[in-house]
Amino acid sequence: MSLRNSLVTLNLPCIYRLELETAGYPPDEAATEESIQMRHRVAPELQFACFAADDTLTGFILATRSSDDTLTHDAMTNHDASGGTLCIHSVCVDKNCRRQGIASALLQEYLAHHTPKLQPPVARVLLIAKKQLLPLYEKCGFVVRGPSEVVHGNDPWFECEFKI
């Protein structure tokens, strides 16, 4: 498994990222092709990917920055390049590669080695997750802050924070 900043994945057609995104989220929650492209266009340095030995995309993280201390709907749709909060929007792993520790490895690498190098620095990383995924994020060092104010799809989301 090879972890890389997504500057390499920018050459991948967006459809491959969209396929992983739509396989990982219900239709009313998955990012659109436009939002995936926007995140890569405005903040390529915040995107991160995982590849198999044959260079097949197996997982990725999509993120933007915000000046808010909580993950808001505005933070989900906009990017503030100088914001002190890193907002993770997607952690996706190919359905054939799940339950192999890839999401954990991707997050741990991103948080330990990639995020601290960002300029300007960020103070925190926020994401929202469904209840069943909270143990994954807690294992990676996130603290559950409680129910999120973001309404996206049918089920409630919980805001999680990782302090830098």
Side-chain angles (χ1 to χ4, degrees):
M1 172 172 62
S2 171
L3 301 171
R4 303 181 210 155
N5 178 277
S6 77
L7 293 175
V8 228
T9 70
L10 288 176
N11 296 325
L12 288 173
C14 186
I15 192 67
Y16 295 121
R17 296 184 300 271
L18 185 61
E19 285 175 6
L20 261 63
E21 176 84 20
T22 56
Y25 294 97
D28 61 341
E29 297 172 2
T32 64
E33 182 175 357
E34 293 77 24
S35 64
I36 291 172
Q37 289 175 341
M38 181 276 294
R39 291 169 184 156
H40 276 276
R41 186 178 63 257
V42 301
E45 73 283 1
L46 301 181
Q47 317 320 316
F48 204 65
C50 177
F51 297 87
D54 65 358
D55 275 343
T56 302
L57 179 66
T58 56
F60 62 81
I61 293 174
L62 297 179
T64 57
R65 292 174 80 135
S66 171
S67 56
D68 294 332
D69 293 338
T70 186
L71 212 148
T72 63
H73 181 70
D74 185 61
M76 297 289 291
T77 56
N78 294 301
H79 173 65
D80 176 355
S82 62
T85 299
L86 180 66
C87 303
I88 293 180
H89 304 290
S90 299
V91 178
C92 293
V93 174
D94 183 283
K95 65 182 177 187
N96 298 317
C97 301
R98 292 184 189 150
R99 313 285 312 155
Q100 297 176 29
I102 292 173
S104 294
L106 202 59
L107 277 164
Q108 289 167 351
E109 177 71 17
Y110 191 77
L111 295 169
H113 302 288
H114 182 66
T115 305
K117 297 176 186 173
L118 296 175
Q119 292 300 320
V122 294
R124 74 197 60 76
V125 179
L126 297 177
L127 59 80
I128 56 174
K130 298 296 177 111
K131 187 176 185 176
Q132 69 271 17
L133 290 174
L134 293 177
L136 164 70
Y137 296 114
E138 289 174 316
K139 179 180 151 191
C140 293
F142 284 85
V143 174
V144 179
R145 294 171 97 182
S148 172
E149 68 180 55
V150 175
V151 176
H152 188 61
N154 292 324
D155 298 324
W157 293 87
F158 295 86
E159 185 169 284
C160 302
E161 177 180 28
F162 182 92
K163 290 192 179 179
I164 302 297

